[in-house]
Amino acid sequence: MRRRALLAAVGSGALLAGCADRTAPTAGTPSDDGAATADDTTTDRPGSPEQVDIDSRFYTEPCPDLADAGWWIDPDDEVRCYHRSDGDEAVLLEPVSEVGTLGGTVRMRLHNRTDEAVPFGPYHWEVLRYDRSDGAWRSATDRDAIEDYQDHVEPGETHEWDVQLAVDGDAPDDETTAGETVAFRPGRYAFVVAAPDPGDLVHAALFAVEAGDDPPVPDGALPDPESSAFRGEACPAGLRCYHALDGDERVYLRAEPETVALGETLSAELCNWSGEEVTLGPDHWAVKRREGGEWVSADRREIRTDLGGVLRYGDCWDLGGRVTVDAADEPGPGAGIEEAVAFEPGEYRFEIDARGEDWERRFAARFTVVEE
């Protein structure tokens, strides 16, 4: 990581989770519940600022392209990124930490090193998420940024935001939060504010969000096996059956609907809400049909045994498809259930192998096929 010289600010103000504190106290350290604490002391105006080193993990990265970032951000505005700064900027947005964990917070600090007050909007901020699929930065929240510059950062002082890394996007019960918070997932983000000094400037600070060992889970994300039509039935040894789960499993396979008519679509999702990466074989699955007391193979295809797919926190991989009476004569690797299985009314089981950091299991989900 590269280090750059930066002029240190010596005064501070605080804005907690998007809520302005007009008394501008000095921000303290985060408390156990993720909210910041504060005291009533303020510091003097700048005299001879000391130089400090800034160590950014993103020093090799370019500034975000804000073309798709949000309605209030003009792509023609100058973008000033903390990790690409020279250290002598008069106004700078600093991430106190460039890494956060789901359920925690990351703190952002806007410095004013000028001799004049700098106008800014305490609610005029945006959180952007980096999309790995196309490399674009897009808004991660549907809140409205309040486009005003009603407050000022006084000379030598700072203003702070605590970004709550919630997984459900629920806003705190406070009208001054100006909308919903972001539903965070692991990945790369940018906190963006507008603070002209003068000119049209957008300040950006990158940060990473990690899942942690036991990450929080949005309401309704974990399985509900109690509602399964097959609840109470035995699960064969060696399988992790959905209908026999306890309900708090972070990795599971679910078939929906559990009763599907010929010609309709079956969803067979393997989901991961754990703090580890799960690998699976997108073509390493099987459909079995119940015939008497036995389960026999119902698909005609070559099964590939590699586990090349990756599920990160919050990812689900749907391996289902249309349930049809016809199948391809020679379904090869990559064929889905519509091409590989000739269905008829009866009881079925979808199976797939997956692997974690220190485990490998075969997951199974029961479903019934009925006439159209």
Side-chain angles (χ1 to χ4, degrees):
M1 291 186 284
R2 180 180 59 180
R3 295 180 182 272
R4 295 171 179 256
L6 178 68
L7 297 178
V10 296
S12 69
L15 185 66
L16 307 182
C19 301
D21 187 338
R22 308 301 181 187
T23 61
T26 298
T29 57
S31 61
D32 292 340
D33 61 2
T37 59
D39 58 41
D40 294 329
T41 61
T42 57
T43 55
D44 297 331
R45 295 293 171 83
S48 299
E50 297 179 357
Q51 284 192 336
V52 297
D53 286 337
I54 292 182
D55 191 7
S56 176
R57 63 184 287 159
F58 302 109
Y59 73 93
T60 61
E61 302 294 331
C63 278
D65 182 351
L66 304 185
D68 300 317
W71 66 269
W72 66 269
I73 299 175
D74 187 343
D76 295 330
D77 290 348
E78 179 185 349
V79 180
R80 177 172 293 170
C81 293
Y82 171 79
H83 70 282
R84 303 293 292 179
S85 67
D86 293 326
D88 58 358
E89 287 77 7
V91 177
L92 190 68
L93 178 67
E94 173 199 12
V96 177
S97 173
E98 289 185 319
V99 182
T101 303
L102 288 176
T105 65
V106 291
R107 178 169 293 177
M108 299 293 163
R109 182 176 293 152
L110 185 65
H111 295 265
N112 176 14
R113 300 183 181 85
T114 72
D115 293 329
E116 298 180 356
V118 172
F120 82 108
Y123 310 117
H124 195 172
W125 55 266
E126 186 78 46
V127 174
L128 310 179
R129 179 184 288 119
Y130 178 72
D131 190 336
R132 296 191 307 265
S133 66
D134 60 6
W137 289 87
R138 297 186 176 89
S139 174
T141 177
D142 59 2
R143 67 179 288 275
D144 291 333
I146 299 178
E147 194 169 6
D148 63 68
Y149 296 95
Q150 63 183 5
D151 277 1
H152 294 78
V153 183
E154 297 300 326
E157 295 190 354
T158 65
H159 202 85
E160 295 184 344
W161 293 264
D162 277 350
V163 184
Q164 307 287 339
L165 305 181
V167 299
D168 51 17
D170 288 339
D173 187 17
D174 190 329
E175 62 182 8
T176 60
T177 56
E180 292 185 357
T181 59
V182 179
F184 279 95
R185 300 290 182 268
R188 185 179 301 176
Y189 294 82
F191 185 79
V192 179
V193 297
D197 61 342
D200 294 327
L201 275 172
V202 175
H203 300 265
L206 271 58
F207 63 99
V209 177
E210 299 176 348
D213 295 333
D214 189 24
V217 179
D219 291 341
L222 295 184
D224 182 22
E226 292 284 350
S227 64
S228 173
F230 305 103
R231 190 69 173 176
E233 295 192 21
C235 180
L239 294 181
R240 182 64 62 89
C241 299
Y242 177 82
H243 67 270
L245 297 179
D246 293 330
D248 57 356
E249 286 80 359
R250 298 296 188 99
V251 183
Y252 58 89
L253 173 71
R254 176 172 54 195
E256 289 187 341
E258 287 189 324
T259 299
V260 57
L262 290 169
E264 294 182 348
T265 298
L266 174 76
S267 173
E269 282 191 332
L270 183 67
C271 296
N272 176 25
W273 291 98
S274 71
E276 61 181 310
E277 288 190 353
V278 174
T279 56
L280 74 155
D283 197 40
H284 192 181
W285 55 267
V287 173
K288 295 185 178 180
R289 179 188 298 116
R290 188 170 189 171
E291 295 186 358
E294 301 293 328
W295 289 88
V296 300
S297 177
D299 57 280
R300 305 191 302 268
R301 66 190 180 93
E302 178 185 350
I303 298 178
R304 298 169 65 180
T305 58
D306 63 298
L307 301 181
V310 177
L311 289 174
R312 299 177 176 85
Y313 171 92
D315 289 343
C316 290
W317 201 311
D318 191 349
L319 297 133
R322 286 186 68 238
V323 175
T324 65
V325 296
D326 299 316
D329 292 335
E330 296 181 1
I337 65 172
E338 184 171 352
E339 299 87 7
V341 184
F343 285 96
E344 59 187 53
E347 295 183 34
Y348 291 83
R349 189 170 70 204
F350 190 96
E351 300 179 5
I352 188 168
D353 290 337
R355 180 187 299 131
E357 294 177 358
D358 56 3
W359 56 265
E360 184 169 353
R361 303 185 186 112
R362 175 161 294 185
F363 294 85
R366 292 272 303 271
F367 63 98
T368 300
V369 175
V370 297
E371 294 283 0
E372 293 185 58

